Amino acid sequence: MPHLFPDLRGFHKKKLAKKRVRVYMDGCFDLMHYGHANALRQAKALGDELVVGVVSDEEIISNKGPPVLSMQERLALVSGLKWVDEVIPNAPYEITEEFMNRLFKEHKIDYIIHGDDPCLLPDGTDAYALAKKVGRYKQIKRTEGVSSTDIVGRILSCIKDVKSEEVCLESSGAFDNLNNTQHNRPLIHGGHISHFLPTSRRIVQFSNGKGPGPNSRVVYIDGAFDLFHAGHVEILKKARQLGDFLLVGIYTDQTVSELRGSHFPLMNLHERSLSVLACRYVDEVIIGAPWEVTKDMITTFNISSVVHGTIAEKNPLLHGESDPYVVPKSMGIFQMLESPKDITTTSIAKRIIANHEIYLKRNAKKEASEKKYYAEKKYVAVD
């Protein structure tokens, strides 16, 4: 009888318990975008726990050139993704035998993951050759239509038609001269067209798929969330702590262009929406949120609190415009949040522009390898 053999029953339970599969994926994660997020989502699907290695600044410099974001900024971005369980800082660019054994023994990693695009060392050898040799390698599909190289290219294109780098980013006059009225065209940045093909399935993959409970305190925050960065992660984390459900409004491309000039946004609406959805602190997004927070919107989404960070982009075209938060302020549900970091999309773009010669050379090399990848690209079923 079962009650006469309690120890044996416990033994069967332990025997039936499935070992949790731990997978490892590494990367520079410089200029974090939805492609990085989707790669980590796919990696997590190949196991139960995802450990992510963030390559050190020194290794990036020796293998690819200087990173745009600091290690701390890159760690904040990776840690803020909903699929990531653990992070290893200062990971090596190459999976050496010593580091691979450390992954297997210390971190209990079962498989090492990488995308279907080649990752070559300066001498032309495969960075994942050892993992493949021991049969502990799995491949995922690279996300179509985006790369850090492409994003750097979008930013660099901003300085092609204007003499001053500062004018490009800050002067509304410069933006006015660049035909800021064609809002229904494909998103083009100095010849750089977004090749992202958004699908409903991709949005579902990124979504939590759950709405707020009947008594949940819904917090709302809105913005452009262009070129998703560590400042965005920290303000979203702070906003989420104020309630039970965080709803994020993502402005349309037209709204962002009107606020910041024709070269913005750097990422289109669907790209920005996926980047925000990938954040572990976000429960839901409004894709194409209105500029003004209305009473109807507050009622529709049962919003308890509307918040806004103290650090935001300088909006030279906003002088004399109406306050978008008049309604929530009148209802006593508006709150300013002290932004934990003073990073903005513009400040990151300026880092690239300040060193544009270095990034132009780096991009020329990377663009050649990316063209080769797309020319030889084959269908990958796993996604």
Side-chain angles (χ1 to χ4, degrees):
M1 294 176 68
H3 66 276
L4 296 177
F5 305 100
D7 294 334
L8 186 60
R9 186 169 53 185
F11 171 78
H12 283 303
K13 281 186 178 179
K14 287 179 183 177
K15 191 175 179 180
L16 292 172
K18 185 182 175 184
K19 178 187 178 296
R20 292 183 68 77
V21 176
R22 285 168 64 82
V23 296
Y24 173 82
M25 188 170 190
D26 59 16
C28 302
F29 303 106
D30 199 21
L31 297 179
M32 175 71 79
H33 50 69
Y34 64 91
H36 291 131
N38 192 46
L40 294 172
R41 179 194 65 78
Q42 291 180 77
K44 178 65 176 282
L46 294 175
D48 301 301
E49 297 171 2
L50 173 61
V51 180
V52 180
V54 180
V55 176
S56 69
D57 293 344
E58 294 75 21
E59 290 271 285
I60 297 174
I61 290 168
S62 14
N63 287 280
K64 301 175 75 171
V68 178
L69 305 182
S70 70
M71 169 58 75
Q72 290 306 313
E73 290 170 333
R74 292 184 288 119
L75 284 174
L77 283 163
V78 173
S79 301
L81 286 176
K82 62 173 69 169
W83 301 285
V84 176
D85 297 296
E86 294 177 30
V87 178
I88 300 175
N90 296 309
Y93 189 81
E94 177 186 3
I95 304 288
T96 62
E97 188 169 3
E98 179 188 356
F99 184 69
M100 185 172 69
N101 289 332
R102 184 181 149 202
L103 288 176
F104 296 158
K105 292 175 182 177
E106 292 181 28
H107 298 281
K108 310 299 180 187
I109 298 300
D110 295 290
Y111 296 101
I112 294 170
I113 318 291
H114 188 63
D116 63 318
D117 54 320
C119 182
L120 303 178
L121 298 170
D123 63 1
T125 57
D126 184 355
Y128 295 89
L130 281 174
K132 291 175 182 177
K133 186 178 179 181
V134 298
R136 303 281 284 271
Y137 176 85
K138 287 191 176 185
Q139 181 175 283
I140 58 166
K141 182 179 179 180
R142 172 174 166 167
T143 304
E144 67 287 341
V146 70
S147 68
S148 296
T149 302
D150 174 52
I151 295 168
V152 169
R154 297 185 198 187
I155 295 169
L156 290 174
S157 71
C158 181
I159 64 173
K160 287 182 179 178
D161 300 323
V162 289
K163 293 180 181 179
S164 165
E165 296 165 8
E166 292 295 321
V167 167
C168 176
L169 287 169
E170 293 183 354
S171 168
S172 60
F175 292 136
D176 290 342
N177 292 330
L178 293 172
N179 191 2
N180 194 26
T181 60
Q182 299 177 13
H183 297 304
N184 294 321
R185 63 191 180 354
L187 191 60
I188 299 173
H189 307 280
H192 284 262
I193 302 173
S194 172
H195 295 288
F196 177 50
L197 303 173
T199 62
S200 57
R201 187 167 70 96
R202 180 72 77 230
I203 294 171
V204 170
Q205 288 170 336
F206 274 53
S207 175
N208 290 351
K210 296 178 182 177
N215 299 314
S216 294
R217 180 173 174 79
V218 178
V219 178
Y220 178 75
I221 185 170
D222 56 10
F225 294 98
D226 197 14
L227 198 60
F228 199 71
H229 54 68
H232 292 139
V233 174
E234 295 299 332
I235 196 66
L236 291 172
K237 179 180 180 179
K238 201 167 184 179
R240 181 62 175 79
Q241 291 169 344
L242 297 176
D244 310 301
F245 190 93
L246 182 61
L247 176 66
V248 183
I250 317 291
Y251 296 150
T252 65
D253 295 338
Q254 179 174 339
T255 297
V256 180
S257 289
E258 288 172 350
L259 295 174
R260 300 180 187 173
S262 63
H263 280 79
F264 295 92
L266 296 166
M267 312 289 286
N268 70 30
L269 175 60
H270 290 101
E271 293 174 318
R272 291 181 286 118
S273 296
L274 286 181
S275 292
V276 174
L277 262 180
C279 181
R280 66 170 69 249
Y281 308 112
V282 176
D283 295 290
E284 181 65 290
V285 301
I286 299 176
I287 303 173
W291 170 244
E292 293 185 4
V293 182
T294 64
K295 178 69 168 66
D296 179 67
M297 187 174 154
I298 291 168
T299 303
T300 298
F301 293 100
N302 197 27
I303 295 169
S304 305
S305 179
V306 176
V307 301
H308 189 67
T310 52
I311 299 294
E313 295 284 351
K314 180 181 177 183
N315 296 327
L317 307 181
L318 264 182
H319 299 302
E321 293 289 333
S322 60
D323 183 352
Y325 304 110
V326 167
V327 172
K329 284 179 180 178
S330 69
M331 296 171 66
I333 62 170
F334 180 80
Q335 181 180 346
M336 287 296 295
L337 283 184
E338 188 68 33
S339 298
K341 294 183 181 294
D342 61 357
I343 311 165
T344 64
T345 300
T346 298
S347 71
I348 291 173
K350 281 183 178 180
R351 297 181 197 181
I352 294 170
I353 289 175
N355 299 285
H356 67 278
E357 302 252 349
I358 295 171
Y359 289 109
L360 276 170
K361 288 178 183 176
R362 190 179 88 171
N363 258 33
K365 184 178 178 182
K366 287 288 291 178
E367 282 173 356
S369 64
E370 290 207 358
K371 281 181 182 177
K372 186 173 184 291
Y373 162 75
Y374 279 109
E376 300 172 356
K377 180 180 174 182
K378 296 179 181 178
Y379 175 72
V380 179
V382 179
D383 186 13

